Amino acid sequence: MLLLVIGIVASCNKSDVKIIPGKYDPNSTGVNPGHTGTNGTGGSTGTTDSTTTTTLFSSPADVAVDALGNLYVADYWNNRIQKITSAGVVSTLAGTGNIGSINGIGKLASFNGPSGVAVDGGGNVYVADSGNNLIRKITADGTVSTLAGTVVAVDTSNTITNAPLFSGPSGVAVDASGNVYVADAGNNRICVVSPSGVTRTLAGKGSAGSNNGASASATFDNPTGVAVDISGNVYVADLLNNMIRKISPTGVVSTLAGNGSIGSKDGIDTAARFYFPNSLTADASGNVYVTDDINNLIRKIAPDGTVTTLAGSGVAGAQNGIGTAASFSDPAGITVDASGNLYVADANNNLIRKMTPDGTVSTLAGSVSSTSTGRMLPKLYYHTGRALNNKPGLMNRQR
């Protein structure tokens, strides 16, 4: 079996162990059992282009869409960044499929568990290369370089003025000026990287918590997703706090929705409930869309703070349909295009799903038949991060 389960205790339950697929535990040791697509336990596009119906993903962790309608996928266990054109052709944009941190062109480059992806107006793609603790950049011609971070170092200081090294960066977003925002999960911080690679802490003092206020005093608990809107507001999927947080352009952190309690309740701001919100995206009208992982739901937060459920029955599955008639299994990444279509990295189903503005959910690419042998045990993919690594009854995957 490619994934090992260790440290299981008799009292282990879903709330103790559930962590997000496609996310990296910076504290674990061992060999990463990533898939190359040649052993029948996952799959990839390989070396040739394919159609969306023949493509195999292995725990796709995030998606991003460009102005032309091309979709980019952080294909976590395949250690690749995949591209789906608006015509439905799937190809490997970058990555050999083997674990590494090599820069180069296209399939000569290597990644280690890419878990976040974003694209700017010039067609540059940014990757949260979680296993390498790096932020990578892929130019329009396929050239991969390291924008920020180092493979071996982890920032253990709590000094917000220090330029932080990353610890399991999980999500990325990019603004119109080319600044890249990073959900630095293991460090409980949100960072920003300038186009020249200068990194600073935007918010979070490094310790786990849920304090609002000025950026230097605010706290997060394993933030895994980040998005930025056209006004410069930054939104954070604060995983272990079960909250959606907001950072204003002046650096003030507040809670947009959720109050820390587990649930799936719709309502206004803190009256709503989430269960490990994983990723989010914002549209031009100020709506925020959230993948609510354990609930297997897609949620929407309107500008007035009203939270509603857009899609998902709440039961894990791969059913297409309208709204709550559809089902997901550990929805991970999410993005929205200019027409209001949502795209979801449906991680445990190994699918990329599409949801139109009228609520119709369909399968855009992938096949559930590509399930890895490591997922024979239910709910085996877990995001640890530094904070959750100490939770009782934790299931770890051996890296």
Side-chain angles (χ1 to χ4, degrees), residues 155-164 189 200-201 204-207 216:
D155 183 13
T156 58
S157 76
N158 287 326
T159 306
I160 199 167
T161 55
N162 287 354
R189 292 171 171 166
R200 64 181 176 88
T201 298
K205 64 180 184 179
S207 56

Side-chain angles (χ1 to χ4, degrees), residues 243-296:
M243 294 176 176
I244 306 303
R245 313 289 292 281
K246 179 180 179 179
I247 309 171
S248 72
T250 59
V252 177
V253 178
S254 60
T255 297
L256 181 67
N259 72 353
S261 299
I262 288 171
S264 59
K265 181 182 177 181
D266 290 335
I268 298 177
D269 48 66
T270 57
R273 301 288 184 270
F274 301 88
Y275 198 166
F276 288 0
N278 177 14
S279 186
L280 38 64
T281 189
D283 67 17
S285 299
N287 299 295
V288 176
Y289 304 91
V290 181
T291 51
D292 193 4
D293 179 78
I294 293 187
N295 286 324
N296 294 305

Side-chain angles (χ1 to χ4, degrees), residues 368-379:
V368 292
S369 64
S370 60
T371 302
S372 102
T373 56
R375 213 180 283 124
M376 294 300 288
L377 293 177
K379 300 292 185 185

Side-chain angles (χ1 to χ4, degrees), residues 315-359:
V315 178
Q319 183 67 43
N320 291 321
I322 298 176
T324 56
S327 58
F328 303 86
S329 183
D330 291 332
I334 189 169
T335 192
V336 62
D337 67 17
S339 299
N341 298 298
L342 293 172
Y343 303 88
V344 177
D346 194 3
N348 236 16
N349 282 325
N350 294 310
L351 300 176
I352 305 302
R353 313 288 290 279
K354 178 180 180 180
M355 180 177 176
T356 57
D358 67 358

Side-chain angles (χ1 to χ4, degrees), residues 2 16 27 31 41 46 48 79 99 102 107-108 113 123 126 140 147 165 170 226 243 279 286 292 297 351 368 391:
L2 293 173
D16 286 327
N27 293 314
V31 178
T41 57
T48 58
N79 297 299
I99 294 169
I102 298 171
K107 297 174 186 176
L108 299 177
Y126 302 89
L147 179 66
L165 304 174
S170 294
V226 65
M243 294 176 176
S279 186
D292 193 4
L297 300 176
L351 300 176
V368 292
K391 288 182 74 66

Side-chain angles (χ1 to χ4, degrees), residues 22-63:
K23 306 298 186 181
Y24 173 65
D25 172 11
N27 293 314
S28 60
T29 59
V31 178
N32 179 4
H35 302 317
T36 62
T38 60
N39 59 5
T41 57
S44 72
T45 56
T47 58
T48 58
D49 292 348
S50 63
T51 65
T52 56
T53 56
T54 60
T55 299
L56 300 180
F57 299 101
S58 189
S59 283
D62 200 12
V63 283

